[in-house]
Amino acid sequence: MTPFDANPLALCAVLRGPAECLHYRVPESCRSLDLVGRRVVVPLGYREAVAVVVAVEKNLSWHLKKDALKDLRLVVDEAPLLPQDLMRLCQWMSRYYFQPLPSVLEAVLPSSLLARPQKWYRLTEEGRQRLQGAARLEGKNPGAQALEAAFLAREERRPKDFESLPKGWKAHLKRLESLGWVVRHDVWPRLEPSTKTQKIVVLRSLLDEKRISASPHLRRFLTVLQDSGGTCSLSDLRRQVPQTSYWVRKLTAEGAVTVEEREVLRESPLAQDLEHHVAVALTPEQQAAVNTMLGSVLSPSFQPFVLYGVTGSGKTEIYLQLAQKTVNQGRTVLVLVPEIALSTQLEAQFRARFGEALAVWHSGLASGVRDDQWKKITSGRTSVVLGVRSAVLSPIRNLGLIVVDEEHDLTYKQEERLRYHARDVAVMRARIADVPVVLGSATPSLQSFHHGSTGRYTLVTLRKRVEDRPLPHIHIVDMRRHRGPFRVLSPELVQALEETFQDSGQAMLFLNRRGFASFFLCRTCGAVRQCPHCAVSLTYHQSLERVLCHYCGHEEAVPGVCSVCGKGLMVPFGFGTERVEEELHRAFPQIKTLRMDRDTMTCSSKVVQTLDAFRSRKAHVLVGTQMITKGHDFPHVTLVGVISADTSLQISDFRSGETTAQLLMQVAGRAGRGDRPGRVVLQTYNPHHHVIQAAAALDYDQFCEHELAFRRALQYPPFTRMARVLVTGAHGDVTAHAAAVLGRIGRAVKVALETQGMALAILGPAPAPIQKLKKRYRYNLYVKAWKAEDLQAAMEKILEHAAQEAIMSSVQVTVDRDPVSSL
Ligand code: ADP
Ligand code: ZN
C-alpha cells in the first residue's frame, strides 16, 4: 500500500457513541460530495448509528489498516447541516473544554436530529406460505396466534403495533425471525426537524344569500372566512364559529370550500407587544461609538469591542444600528442576552426592526418551536438570531456581527454537561468567522476590562446617560448602628420609601437571598439544621411552612427541638426576600408589592407578567433577587434599596468582589432612568470595604483598577489561566483518595512540563466549598498556568494519566475551564 492512497476516509463523530472520532471508508458513490458537516449512518459494532462527518482525509491515514475499516452506509443530509465556521467552533470547543466532540455536537443539534432508527419487521414470502399453511393455529399460545394473524393482515409491522397483543408474542417474534419467516430492517427516519402543518380552509365560490340567511351559523362561518381574505385556519374557524366541522364537511362536498394542508412555522410566543419603533437620533456619544465600530461592520474582519457604557447610556440603540448596517450588507447577526424573559424590551425592539427576519432562541422553547427556529435559521430566512447562551451555537450562516449584551453576566457560563462560557465562545466564533464582536456592559467582566485597557480588545466608552439624565445618588447606611427591628429595613430606607410613595414613584428592593430566614440554629448548642444530602444549611420558607435545600430541593418540616443536643430550641436566623416583603407590608400596609425570585417565578411567563405589571405601575415596590438587577428599564423607579450589600461579598472566592460590584452597580442603575432623578439606599455592615465604596461612588473604573492590582499580586485570572477539576463520588473515602491521586498526577505533570519551559501551579485537592451535594462528595483540584497553551498541554497530560488509574473509574471527573464558581 502506498502512503498516497487515494481512497478517502471520513473522520466521524458518532452521536451518542464513543468519545473519540472514528474513521470510515467513503464509498465510491459519495466521493464527489462535500461530506463535512453532514450526518451519515455508520456501522458501530452490531448496530448502526448516526454520525457527523468531521473531516475527509485523503492521504493522512495511510497508516490505518484500511481493510479493517468499514464503509459508511448512508448520507443522511442533502447539504451540510452545520456551517463550516460552526463545525470549526465545535472542534475548538471540544479541545478547549476537554469534551468529546460528539458530546459538543449533541449540544448543538436539536434532539430530533439525533433520532435513532425505527425497527420494522416484514413477513417474507416463505413466511407467508408457512403461516398460511394448515397447521398454523395449532398448539400456539394466544400471543403467538395474534402475532401471526397481524402479519398476515399486513406484512410490514413495528413492534409497537404488537403492544396490545396477549403475552407470548415477543418470544414468538424472535422465533419467526430466527426461522427467516420475518426479517427485521431499520428505517432511518427522515432525520429532519419535525414540521407542523395546519389545515387551511379556502373559500372557492360564493353561496346564495337566501341560503345564508337561513342559518346564522353559516353566515358567521362565511363572514369569518371572508374577513380573513378567503382563507382561514380550521382551528381559528372552530374557535369562532359553532358547528364549524359540519359546515366544512358540507361545503367541501359541494365544492364551495376546500381544505388544504400547509406548513406553519412555530414561533416563540411574543413576550411583549411591539411598540411602534422609530429609530432615534443618536446622542453624540452614541454616534461616536457607532462610528468606531462601523468600519469593521462594513468590511467585516475579526475585531473584539468592549462597549463599556454606564447604565441608561443607550447601548441597545447602538446594537440595533450596527445590526441594521450588517443586515443591509446582506449578512446576519447573532445577539446574545443573559435571559430572554428578562430581555423582553430588547426583544421587542429587535422584533419591531427586523420582524419575520428575527429568530428567537432560548431553552424555554418547546421542542417543536425550537425545531422550527432551527429550520428558519438554516433556511436563510433569518437575518438576526436573538438568544441565550446556547444561541452562540446556532447554525446561522453568513455571519457579519456578534453582540453579547451584559457580557459580565454569569448566566453565560454553563455549569452542567458541556461547561462553556458563551461570551468566550462568541469571541472565538467571531474569530473563526472573521467578523466583529461587541461585548456590551455597564460593568464589564474584569477579563474584558483588562483586555480593553491593554488594547487586546478595542474599548468603546459611554460615560453619559441619554438626555443627560443624572446617575443616581447613593446613600450608604451603616447597619452596625441598627439592631432589632431595623435589621431588615433601616429607618433611612423606610423614610426614603415613604418619600418615594408620596412622590408617586416606584421602588425596587434587592436582596440576593430568597426565602424567609436563611437557616435554623439551636439556641443551646449552636447546631445549624443542614440538608441530609448536601453540606448546606436549610432555608426557611414561611409561606410553605417548610425548610428547603436550595441545591437539591430536599424539604422537611420546620425543626422544633435540636436533633444534635436534644435540648435546645431551633430558631430562624438571617432573612431573605420573603421576609423583606413581609416587613414592607408591616411598615406600609397600604402599598402593593411584587416579588421576583426563583420561588415566585416558576416559569418565564410569570417573569414577563411580573415585569409588565410593575412597568404599568400595578405595584409600588418590586422586591427580588438578582433577577431584578438585569437590564430593566422602568422609567418610574426613583428609589432602589439594597437590603444587604454584603451577602455576596462573603462567598469564599476570589471573584466575590467582582460579582458584588457588578450586582450593586447594576441594581443602582435601575434608578432614575425616566425624567426624575433616582437615588439608592445601600445597607451594609462593611461601609468602608473598597467594593462598597466604589459602588457607592458609581466608579467602576476605580473598582477595576483596585481589583486588578489584587489579582495581579495574587496571580489570579485574568493574569493567569485556570482549570478546575471537580472530582465527585458516592463514597467520601474513595472520592478523597481519587482526588489525592489526581493531585499526585498533576504534580508529576507539572514537574515534567516545567523541564520543557512551561510554568504551572497545582492547587489542592481540597474539599469543595460545598463538600457534599445531592449525596455526592466533592473535591476540587486547580491547575493554573501563565499561558493558555501551557494549561492545554498540562490538562491533556493529566487527563491522559488519570484515565489509566483504576480508582478514577469509581468517581466522576469534570473539567471546568475558566471556572466562575468554586462551589
Ligand atoms: P442601557 O442598556 O445602556 O442601560 P438602554 O439601551 O436601555 O440603556 O437605554 C436607556 C433608555 O434610553 C431607553 O429607554 C432608550 O429607549 C432610551 N434611548 C436610547 N438612546 C436614545 C437616544 N438617542 N435618544 C433618546 N432616548 C434614547
Ligand atoms: Zn440538599
Side-chain angles (χ1 to χ4, degrees):
M1 199 184 290
T2 62
F4 295 104
D5 185 340
N7 288 344
L9 293 181
L11 184 63
C12 296
V14 182
L15 302 174
R16 294 173 175 166
E20 61 284 350
C21 294
L22 305 176
H23 281 96
Y24 289 92
R25 288 190 307 210
V26 179
E28 200 72 50
S29 58
C30 308
R31 290 197 189 155
S32 59
L33 299 175
D34 174 15
L35 289 175
V36 176
R38 292 197 219 208
R39 280 169 308 157
V40 291
V41 173
V42 295
L44 185 72
Y46 294 105
R47 66 180 177 101
E48 291 189 319
V50 188
V52 174
V53 179
V54 177
V56 176
E57 298 167 353
K58 282 228 168 64
N59 306 323
L60 295 176
S61 313
W62 54 271
H63 60 281
L64 291 170
K65 285 205 197 79
K66 283 197 187 170
D67 300 333
L69 292 176
K70 293 177 180 162
D71 282 4
L72 57 87
R73 298 230 168 112
L74 186 74
V75 179
V76 178
D77 298 306
E78 280 167 13
L81 202 58
L82 299 177
Q84 267 208 349
D85 64 333
L86 184 53
M87 205 61 209
R88 283 177 58 198
L89 187 72
C90 290
Q91 284 169 284
W92 174 80
M93 285 177 79
S94 164
R95 193 174 125 79
Y96 187 83
Y97 291 112
F98 308 101
Q99 283 287 333
L101 185 57
S103 63
V104 175
L105 292 168
E106 282 158 28
V108 172
L109 295 168
S111 51
S112 56
L113 293 178
L114 307 174
R116 302 205 160 214
Q118 292 175 346
K119 271 188 223 165
W120 284 82
Y121 289 89
R122 188 170 46 79
L123 187 62
T124 59
E125 197 39 51
E126 188 198 352
R128 166 171 296 281
Q129 285 168 12
R130 297 290 186 131
L131 293 189
Q132 279 168 338
R136 73 180 173 88
L137 290 181
E138 275 156 36
K140 284 175 192 153
N141 64 42
Q145 288 184 14
L147 184 78
E148 291 184 1
F151 270 119
L152 285 171
R154 206 173 75 220
E155 288 172 2
E156 297 260 351
R157 288 291 184 174
R158 298 183 54 183
K160 74 167 190 206
D161 297 344
F162 305 137
E163 272 158 20
S164 58
L165 299 188
K167 256 175 73 171
W169 64 267
K170 249 185 211 159
H172 197 56
L173 182 61
K174 280 220 178 79
R175 234 190 100 217
L176 295 181
E177 195 183 351
S178 66
L179 288 169
W181 296 4
V182 302
V183 287
R184 198 189 108 184
H185 60 116
D186 291 344
V187 173
W188 292 90
R190 277 184 60 218
L191 296 180
E192 251 189 23
S194 66
T195 23
K196 186 181 175 191
T197 54
Q198 203 177 27
K199 286 203 166 66
I200 305 281
V201 180
V202 185
L203 187 61
R204 293 293 173 192
S205 62
L206 295 176
L207 303 181
D208 74 64
E209 183 56 32
K210 223 161 96 204
R211 184 170 167 210
I212 299 173
S213 28
S215 160
H217 288 330
L218 178 59
R219 178 178 295 284
R220 176 106 186 98
F221 181 88
L222 290 171
T223 316
V224 171
L225 200 51
Q226 270 163 346
D227 284 355
S228 45
T231 59
C232 185
S233 77
L234 188 59
S235 57
D236 279 354
L237 274 169
R238 281 216 177 99
R239 216 173 304 122
Q240 298 177 52
V241 190
Q243 299 179 1
T244 292
S245 310
Y246 169 78
W247 287 113
V248 169
R249 228 178 310 127
K250 192 155 173 62
L251 297 179
T252 312
E254 293 171 16
V257 302
T258 53
V259 179
E260 293 167 11
E261 195 92 13
R262 288 189 195 163
E263 187 183 333
V264 287
L265 280 181
R266 287 154 289 187
E267 290 282 350
S268 71
L270 183 57
Q272 202 186 1
D273 284 341
L274 294 188
E275 295 152 31
H276 184 63
H277 198 86
V278 277
V280 295
L282 295 180
T283 65
E285 234 190 358
Q286 282 173 320
Q287 190 62 57
V290 169
N291 291 347
T292 310
M293 296 184 273
L294 198 57
S296 54
V297 166
L298 294 181
S299 49
S301 62
F302 173 60
Q303 199 177 351
F305 295 99
V306 181
L307 180 59
Y308 173 29
V310 295
T311 53
S313 57
K315 293 184 285 293
T316 313
E317 196 55 43
I318 296 176
Y319 305 149
L320 281 164
Q321 301 231 354
L322 292 176
Q324 188 71 64
K325 293 274 197 294
T326 309
V327 173
N328 292 350
Q329 301 275 310
R331 289 179 168 248
T332 60
V333 185
L334 178 61
V335 183
L336 302 185
V337 293
E339 264 170 85
I340 283 284
L342 301 178
S343 309
T344 53
Q345 282 165 304
L346 191 128
E347 183 189 345
Q349 281 171 308
F350 271 88
R351 184 87 71 170
R353 288 275 170 100
F354 297 100
E356 280 288 287
L358 178 77
V360 176
W361 184 281
H362 60 88
S363 55
L365 293 179
S367 71
V369 181
R370 210 181 160 94
D371 283 0
D372 285 359
Q373 296 295 310
W374 170 279
K375 265 200 280 188
K376 191 172 158 184
I377 293 169
T378 47
S379 70
R381 276 176 285 177
T382 297
S383 320
V384 181
V385 175
L386 171 70
V388 297
R389 64 174 177 241
S390 58
V392 76
L393 304 175
S394 67
I396 186 142
R397 282 163 211 270
N398 196 18
L399 207 52
L401 170 70
I402 302 180
V403 172
V404 185
D405 188 31
E406 309 287 1
E407 68 88 32
H408 66 279
D409 201 290
L410 293 185
T411 50
Y412 284 124
K413 179 68 165 49
Q414 175 145 310
E415 296 288 10
E416 66 228 1
R417 296 188 306 278
L418 178 59
R419 290 178 181 244
Y420 66 95
H421 199 303
R423 182 234 301 131
D424 300 342
V425 175
V427 173
M428 186 42 77
R429 188 158 186 188
R431 186 173 183 164
I432 291 172
D434 203 18
V435 299
V437 53
V438 179
L439 310 177
S441 176
T443 53
S445 61
L446 273 187
Q447 174 185 321
S448 299
F449 186 92
H450 181 62
H451 289 335
S453 46
T454 55
R456 201 165 144 191
Y457 294 178
T458 306
L459 192 63
V460 182
T461 32
L462 301 168
R463 301 254 169 222
K464 281 193 251 169
R465 282 186 162 185
V466 291
E467 301 183 331
D468 282 325
R469 285 168 199 151
L471 283 166
H473 174 77
I474 302 199
H475 178 71
I476 296 186
V477 178
D478 183 352
M479 293 302 278
R480 293 172 303 182
R481 293 187 290 110
H482 299 304
R483 304 251 172 234
F486 302 114
R487 278 191 319 136
V488 180
L489 302 179
S490 62
E492 290 92 330
L493 183 54
V494 170
Q495 193 189 339
L497 282 164
E498 207 163 277
E499 288 163 13
T500 305
F501 301 146
Q502 267 163 18
D503 234 19
S504 57
Q506 284 180 300
M508 292 167 82
L509 295 184
F510 163 70
L511 175 63
N512 214 7
R513 210 164 38 204
R514 63 201 169 97
F516 191 84
S518 328
F519 53 93
F520 265 86
L521 185 120
C522 170
R523 275 261 172 93
T524 307
C525 73
V528 170
R529 189 79 191 138
Q530 287 210 327
C531 173
H533 316 304
C534 312
V536 296
S537 54
L538 295 172
T539 307
Y540 175 42
H541 289 246
Q542 191 185 45
S543 56
L544 306 171
E545 271 304 314
R546 307 283 282 174
V547 288
L548 308 186
C549 170
H550 283 182
Y551 289 90
C552 73
H554 169 84
E555 54 172 274
E556 45 186 75
V558 175
V561 174
C562 174
S563 57
V564 177
C565 66
K567 284 184 284 201
L569 203 62
M570 303 291 282
V571 288
F573 272 83
F575 52 86
T577 42
E578 202 182 318
R579 171 81 179 275
V580 173
E581 203 181 17
E582 189 186 277
E583 297 275 323
L584 200 55
H585 285 152
R586 193 171 302 158
F588 302 97
Q590 76 288 4
I591 64 130
K592 289 209 177 66
T593 60
L594 288 165
R595 178 155 62 92
M596 227 170 119
D597 52 34
R598 268 195 290 144
D599 295 323
T600 54
M601 301 296 109
T602 43
C603 63
S604 64
S605 62
K606 281 214 171 140
V607 177
V608 174
Q609 273 168 23
T610 309
L611 293 173
D612 280 353
F614 189 58
R615 190 171 295 119
S616 56
R617 306 176 84 175
K618 294 202 176 82
H620 304 89
V621 187
L622 177 63
V623 179
T625 55
Q626 55 180 325
M627 288 181 124
I628 69 168
T629 66
K630 298 184 185 179
H632 310 298
D633 194 32
F634 299 117
H636 302 289
V637 169
T638 50
L639 172 67
V640 166
V642 177
I643 303 296
S644 167
D646 317 309
T647 316
S648 61
L649 266 185
Q650 287 149 5
I651 296 168
S652 60
D653 190 300
F654 71 88
R655 284 175 217 78
S656 62
E658 177 178 357
T659 325
T660 308
Q662 287 163 350
L663 264 176
L664 294 179
M665 297 188 58
Q666 288 286 341
V667 69
R670 299 313 114 208
R673 293 169 72 95
D675 303 331
R676 287 180 289 172
R679 61 168 157 169
V680 179
V681 174
L682 205 154
Q683 305 187 149
T684 173
Y685 286 92
N686 300 286
H688 303 296
H689 195 288
H690 85 96
V691 171
I692 307 285
Q693 287 288 324
L698 286 178
D699 191 344
Y700 194 67
D701 284 359
Q702 180 208 319
F703 163 76
C704 288
E705 272 148 33
H706 192 294
E707 192 69 18
L708 282 170
F710 156 78
R711 300 262 183 108
R712 186 194 297 274
L714 297 181
Q715 293 295 296
Y716 278 128
F719 300 99
T720 52
R721 310 297 295 254
M722 292 227 272
R724 165 194 180 210
V725 189
L726 174 67
V727 184
T728 68
H731 304 285
D733 304 346
V734 178
T735 316
H737 182 55
V741 169
L742 200 67
R744 267 205 301 282
I745 294 172
R747 294 201 163 77
V749 167
K750 167 187 148 84
V751 171
L753 292 185
E754 276 177 349
T755 62
Q756 301 173 27
M758 299 188 193
L760 296 162
I762 307 289
L763 314 166
I770 297 179
Q771 291 186 30
K772 191 178 156 201
L773 190 66
K774 300 178 185 171
K775 298 188 188 171
R776 292 179 73 83
Y777 294 85
R778 303 151 58 79
Y779 285 81
N780 276 336
L781 179 78
Y782 283 92
V783 181
K784 180 156 113 175
W786 277 257
K787 286 189 201 140
E789 313 87 85
D790 295 0
L791 185 60
Q792 185 76 38
M795 283 306 305
E796 279 170 11
K797 276 265 174 299
I798 291 171
L799 294 174
E800 191 186 309
H801 290 306
Q804 289 155 13
E805 296 284 337
I807 183 139
M808 290 300 160
S809 58
S810 35
V811 294
Q812 195 186 344
V813 175
T814 312
V815 183
D816 185 6
R817 186 161 188 174
D818 307 323
V820 299
S821 162
S822 58
L823 300 180

